[in-house]
Structures are given as structure tokens and as C-alpha cells.
Amino acid sequence: EAQVTQNPRYLITVTGKKLTVTCSQNMNHEYMSWYRQDPGLGLRQIYYSMNVEVTDKGDVPEGYKVSRKEKRNFPLILESPSPNQTSLYFCASSRQGGEAFFGQGTRLTVV
Amino acid sequence: GQQVMQIPQYQHVQEGEDFTTYCNSSTTLSNIQWYKQRPGGHPVFLIQLVKSGEVKKQKRLTFQFGEAKKNSSLHITATQTTDVGTYFCVTGGTSYGKLTFGQGTILTVHP
């Protein structure tokens, strides 16, 4: 089954404790990206990647890191989480010029 | 970067009534995609429009792309309770590595 898999689905952490949210896709898509969703703001892109070892900032990259060492994986790293990063996060993948497939989401709470 | 403004933010309808959400941009868009997000779910692709004046239909849903490619609309005829969710217009850049979402319209359908 074609899918984008994110883990974990839910995470509560404390301020400053490094965390990684994993994202994996099995569709051999070139493009992968991360979004955060906050009420009234829609989805805002954090980072995107157009291929292995190629990443670029989205609209709200501050406080986040990504890496694309393999085509199928695109982890999101929060080196020092803060409460304003409490949000719902989505990973997505797509082919060039195609529709985006989204993961199930990760609800992160930073206390 | 490109921005798309979506209205209304909320829409409450009685089952059987029609519904329309609008998406506007101050700049010409190369493409518009529409996604639906069910409550508690992730965005799911509905359709993509790329041609000026394009109209596409999916059962009770009609999608339009304006002649100037600065606006788009999604119209649902005779809403059903299964139509509940948030509808997003999205524009893609750099061959869609970069997606910009509108704020979304939250549709509630009262039986």
C-alpha cells in the first residue's frame, strides 16, 4: 500500500530536549516536505527536499532541522524545542508536478 | 513568496444546501490544487487545475480556475454529512516541492 508513515503520532516533551520525528514514504517520490498546522493558519511549510541531499527552507524553518540522506526518509529534528513549537505536524511526499500524499500527522506538545 | 487567501473561514450549512469556498491571489498562479481534511485526519488531494478558465467536476464537486489564473473556487452541490471537513486551496512552486496553503474553509453540515 502506497503511504507516508510518520512516527510518533503523539509526543509530549519538555522544553530543550532534542527530538526527532521520522517520516518515510514507499512511493519512490523525489519530493518530501514538512508542515505544521495551527488553528486559523492552515498548513505552513517548514522545509522541503527535492531529492537526496537537497533541502530548502519553507516559510517557517526557524527552530527546525531536516536531512535527506535516503530517498525514502525525511526526518524532522527539533534541537531545542520550545512551547511555541507545540503544533500538529505533517510530512508529505510527491512526484514532480504531482499531488502530495500526507502522513497521518504527529501531535507535538512542548511543556 | 506566493500567498493565497481563502474565504470564508467557516461555513455552516444544512444538509442539502450548496457550499462554495473561494481562493484568491494577487499574483498569477501556475496551478491550484484542492485538498480536503476530515476532522482528525490528514489532507487528501482532490484535484489540480492548471489552465486558465479550467472547470473540472467530480460528482457533486465543481472546481474552477479563473481566467486570469488569480482565483479559484470549489462548489459542492447538495451537501451531505460526509462533506464535513476543512477544504484547502494550495498553490505549488518549484515544480511543487514548495506548497503554499490557503487558510482553509471549515465546513459543517447539519443533518
Side-chain angles (χ1 to χ4, degrees):
Chain A
E1 180 189 354
Q3 59 185 4
V4 178
T5 304
Q6 291 179 230
N7 280 296
R9 293 289 311 277
Y10 302 91
L11 180 60
I12 301 175
T13 190
V14 296
T15 299
K17 185 176 182 181
K18 181 180 179 179
L19 67 90
T20 299
V21 184
T22 63
C23 176
S24 180
Q25 52 97 3
N26 63 0
M27 295 169 278
N28 201 35
H29 285 165
E30 299 88 356
Y31 295 175
M32 297 186 74
S33 53
W34 277 101
Y35 302 83
R36 61 177 290 171
Q37 183 173 22
D38 302 290
L41 297 177
L43 278 80
R44 294 178 292 168
Q45 193 176 54
I46 302 170
Y47 270 95
Y48 63 99
S49 169
M50 295 166 65
N51 215 324
V52 175
E53 302 291 359
V54 180
T55 62
D56 209 346
K57 295 178 180 178
D59 298 316
V60 288
E62 294 77 19
Y64 304 94
K65 285 177 56 177
V66 293
S67 68
R68 187 95 181 270
K69 294 183 170 59
E70 305 165 283
K71 196 172 186 178
R72 64 181 292 127
N73 296 322
F74 191 45
L76 179 68
I77 303 157
L78 284 72
E79 295 270 4
S80 183
S82 62
N84 65 14
Q85 293 178 299
T86 292
S87 188
L88 178 58
Y89 291 86
F90 287 101
C91 178
S93 74
S94 65
R95 297 195 188 284
Q96 184 178 12
E99 65 181 273
F101 292 81
F102 285 81
Q104 298 297 314
T106 296
R107 187 165 294 280
L108 172 66
T109 302
V110 183
V111 298
Chain B
Q2 286 189 323
Q3 288 188 335
V4 285
M5 305 300 294
Q6 194 173 348
I7 56 169
Q9 187 174 0
Y10 301 95
Q11 186 75 59
H12 299 262
V13 300
Q14 288 293 132
E15 189 172 19
E17 292 181 340
D18 292 356
F19 158 76
T20 305
T21 175
Y22 300 91
C23 188
N24 297 290
S25 172
S26 59
T27 59
T28 302
L29 304 171
S30 62
N31 61 86
I32 276 283
Q33 297 181 349
W34 285 92
Y35 289 77
K36 176 183 178 181
Q37 183 180 23
R38 294 184 187 275
H42 59 279
V44 175
F45 175 83
L46 294 175
I47 210 151
Q48 176 171 259
L49 306 169
V50 296
K51 297 178 182 176
S52 170
E54 190 168 15
V55 178
K56 289 188 177 181
K57 294 190 176 185
Q58 289 179 349
K59 297 182 180 179
R60 294 178 295 104
L61 279 61
T62 301
F63 305 84
Q64 295 190 358
F65 201 8
E67 293 288 344
K69 301 181 76 173
K70 290 185 176 183
N71 58 77
S72 181
S73 64
L74 159 58
H75 179 81
I76 302 178
T77 302
T79 55
Q80 300 175 358
T81 54
T82 53
D83 295 325
V84 165
T86 303
Y87 293 84
F88 293 100
C89 64
V90 182
T91 189
T94 317
S95 296
Y96 309 178
K98 180 157 179 52
L99 294 182
T100 301
F101 279 71
Q103 299 91 331
T105 295
I106 301 172
L107 174 63
T108 303
V109 180
H110 300 284

